[in-house]
Amino acid sequence: MRRAVAVRLSALLAAGALTAATGVALSTTTASAATGGVTGYATQNGGTTGGAGGQTVRATTGTAIHQALCGRASSSTPITIQVEGTINHGNTTKVSGTSCNTAADKIELKQVSNVTIVGVGNGAVFDQLGIHIREASNIVIQNVTVRNVKKSGSPTSNGGDAIGMESDVRNVWVDHVTLEASGGESEGYDGLFDMKDNTQYVTLSYSVLRNSGRGGLIGSSESDRSNGYVTFHHNLYENIDSRAPLLRGGVAHIYNNHYKRLNESGINSRAGARAKVDNNYFEDSKDVLGTFYTDEAGYWQVGGNVFDNVTWSSRGGDNNPAGPNPTSNTSVSIPYGYTLDGANCVPAVVAQTAGANKGLKVSDGSCTPQNPDPTDPGPTDPGPTDPGPTDPPAGTNLSLGAGADGSSKASGTSYGNVIDGNTSTYWSPSGSIGSVSVKWGSATTVSKVDIRTASGSGTIGAYRVRNHDTGAVLASGSGAGVISFPPVSLKKITFEITSASGTPRIAEFETYAN
């Protein structure tokens, strides 16, 4: 048995005083979650917006979080839950309803979608209580601390995982969180960030994982290879024995992370997994990359990493470290845009940005932390595009006869209304923001779109036009009208409304080759 991690913190966070409330408070304020800043693989497969566009509520207990989920019109109605205070076993109970499936010993996000949980005010601490995501999609967890979740001893929660995902989970963004334990398996703890049983399109960004025997895994066994497309960037892994992370099958993109005191092994790519490992800083650690504890090989593509006081064991049997001079043994194509910080500045940037209660600061790719802006399209987006004239472009409207889908729609509206050639019918988001897409069975060249609104429409504030196949932003700006960009061949194009006054009504989403 591997040794338990030695905890080096002088003390854990003290449990805060608790407001004795079991309900949720309605709020008209906007959650301080920069959901527009989602990065990595969570931008793919339709993107991750969480509860954007839905109601915002405040919760100070676990019961209140469950009540907020159960009080929605449906299990997919968007909702943002602002959390403040300490959430623990004493204030968390099971709540029943048609829009939820909760439990008493964890925060349960089961069979739900379109949910944001964000820490606000003086902060949110989930004390000995894990967050469980199961059969769920489009989930955002931001600016919270989850600590000391146990699978043995007392009290137990979530199988010992701080955040665990399993069973057909899609599109999760976990950002600016602190996940910590007080030891390893012999002390009752398991993983800090686990994904298994068909979990895909996940990003973990600007977070701290520390003082645990196990950082996290993708895949519960060598045969559980249905997981993947996971991005890890600008995270601090500190005082972790192993699994930083463990990858079984699938693809992971791991960049600009600071690894400090990985005691036994680090990135463990095995069972056919492929990892792109860029511009990370590894410090005071052992066997930070390779295939360990199995003879089923995994693969890696490396570049720009710094190895500072890293030791490597000898190869043999089920131990295959990538060092002492790591070289690539595969190639991994990344479908989204991203900007790398230089590895030498990663410790400083991560120290200023990663973890809960850091002001949601992010990096701009030049080693300089920045305050987030929810409406900022991000460093990989082009500048705003002049919508140009409002007259329809010449040529054939390629949307006629195509397909359509999108994010949650308002009652009584249809995605198909944007491609039917009838300006009296329309699609509206469920709330003020959302996205609608036009799709074809084969690649189609598009260089202009014409967004036409219906009578009574709210005003579109900011928008983005995305190549849905790759996640690339083709154009951004404000208002409706004709939007031009360089010709691109794609199967699906998405119009995202990221801010609006009222509820926009998109009558037609016309697409043109010229």
Side-chain angles (χ1 to χ4, degrees):
M1 179 181 296
R2 297 196 296 277
R3 64 180 176 81
V5 64
V7 180
R8 296 178 173 89
L9 292 178
S10 60
L12 294 173
L13 295 173
L18 205 39
T19 302
T22 57
V24 295
L26 298 183
S27 172
T28 58
T29 61
T30 302
S32 56
T35 52
V38 61
T39 54
Y41 274 114
T43 65
Q44 306 297 287
N45 191 44
T48 305
T49 57
Q55 186 183 42
T56 296
V57 303
R58 184 70 68 103
T60 58
T61 68
T63 300
I65 295 172
H66 287 159
Q67 286 176 331
L69 294 170
C70 296
R72 297 183 295 165
S74 73
S75 61
S76 62
T77 301
I79 190 170
T80 293
I81 305 172
Q82 298 178 331
V83 182
E84 184 174 16
T86 301
I87 310 301
N88 56 30
H89 287 265
N91 61 39
T92 302
T93 58
K94 176 181 174 66
V95 178
S96 298
T98 58
S99 62
C100 63
N101 190 340
T102 68
D105 62 344
K106 62 179 74 73
I107 298 300
E108 184 77 278
L109 302 177
K110 182 178 180 180
Q111 298 167 346
V112 298
S113 59
N114 309 325
V115 176
T116 292
I117 293 178
V118 55
V120 297
N122 293 321
V125 176
F126 294 80
D127 185 30
Q128 302 183 80
L129 198 76
I131 298 175
H132 186 226
I133 303 170
R134 182 184 179 97
E135 301 168 66
S137 63
N138 195 22
I139 306 295
V140 174
I141 300 174
Q142 193 170 50
N143 200 39
V144 303
T145 294
V146 186
R147 67 187 187 196
N148 291 336
V149 180
K150 287 189 172 185
K151 66 177 181 179
S152 61
S154 180
T156 60
S157 175
N158 203 29
D161 296 336
I163 296 178
M165 291 164 266
E166 62 179 314
S167 300
D168 303 321
V169 173
R170 292 291 185 276
N171 291 87
V172 178
W173 180 35
V174 178
D175 176 67
H176 284 91
V177 304
T178 298
L179 309 178
E180 56 191 9
S182 295
E185 189 174 23
S186 61
E187 285 77 31
Y189 305 98
D190 198 2
L192 295 176
F193 194 71
D194 280 9
M195 292 158 276
K196 55 189 178 182
D197 191 17
N198 199 22
T199 294
Q200 298 181 359
Y201 301 105
V202 176
T203 295
L204 176 67
S205 55
Y206 297 102
S207 295
V208 173
L209 298 86
R210 63 187 172 205
N211 300 329
S212 176
R214 296 168 173 172
L217 57 76
I218 302 174
S220 60
S221 68
E222 305 296 73
S223 62
D224 182 15
R225 304 189 185 191
S226 59
N227 311 279
Y229 306 116
V230 182
T231 301
F232 302 83
H233 75 89
H234 292 93
N235 303 299
L236 169 65
Y237 284 79
E238 183 176 20
N239 195 28
I240 302 289
D241 279 350
S242 63
R243 302 185 182 181
L246 163 62
L247 316 170
R248 292 178 169 118
V251 173
H253 188 198
I254 303 171
Y255 71 92
N256 282 156
N257 301 287
H258 183 198
Y259 294 93
K260 190 174 183 179
R261 298 200 305 276
L262 301 181
N263 301 315
E264 296 177 9
S265 62
I267 301 168
N268 185 354
S269 180
R270 54 199 270 188
R274 295 186 303 127
K276 184 171 174 62
V277 183
D278 292 328
N279 288 36
N280 301 281
Y281 196 102
F282 300 93
E283 181 179 5
D284 299 337
S285 297
K286 176 185 176 184
D287 284 346
V288 297
L289 174 65
T291 297
F292 306 103
Y293 322 122
T294 182
D295 57 3
E296 295 196 40
Y299 308 95
W300 43 84
Q301 179 182 350
V302 294
N305 301 289
V306 170
F307 301 93
D308 179 3
N309 191 32
V310 171
T311 61
W312 301 91
S313 60
S314 300
R315 298 180 183 179
D318 61 0
N319 194 64
N320 182 30
N325 297 301
T327 58
S328 301
N329 56 19
T330 192
S331 178
V332 181
S333 177
I334 301 300
Y336 51 81
Y338 61 99
T339 304
L340 289 170
D341 285 304
N344 280 315
C345 73
V346 163
V349 169
V350 168
Q352 296 174 75
T353 58
N357 305 316
K358 288 289 188 69
L360 300 180
K361 289 182 181 293
V362 297
S363 172
D364 65 354
S366 63
C367 300
T368 305
Q370 303 288 319
N371 290 318
D373 181 354
T375 62
D376 184 354
T380 61
D381 289 353
T385 302
D386 183 353
T390 56
D391 291 337
T396 301
N397 175 11
L398 303 173
S399 298
L400 297 176
D405 59 26
S407 64
S408 297
K409 57 183 181 291
S411 176
T413 71
S414 170
Y415 306 121
N417 288 340
V418 304
I419 57 171
D420 63 359
N422 181 355
T423 57
S424 65
T425 63
Y426 58 87
W427 164 87
S428 283
S430 178
S432 61
I433 64 175
S435 63
V436 65
S437 302
V438 176
K439 56 186 180 179
W440 298 270
S442 58
T444 300
T445 298
V446 179
S447 66
K448 292 183 180 179
V449 302
D450 188 4
I451 302 299
R452 307 177 68 185
T453 57
S455 176
S457 174
T459 301
I460 298 172
Y463 69 74
R464 297 177 193 164
V465 179
R466 285 191 182 274
N467 178 339
H468 195 93
D469 301 350
T470 66
V473 176
L474 304 175
S476 61
S478 61
V482 178
I483 305 166
S484 301
F485 42 85
V488 59
S489 180
L490 41 68
K491 290 186 178 181
K492 187 173 180 179
I493 188 168
T494 298
F495 181 72
E496 297 180 355
I497 304 168
T498 58
S499 70
S501 174
T503 300
R505 296 178 176 180
I506 307 300
E508 293 298 300
F509 181 176
E510 299 179 354
T511 54
Y512 296 89
N514 298 303

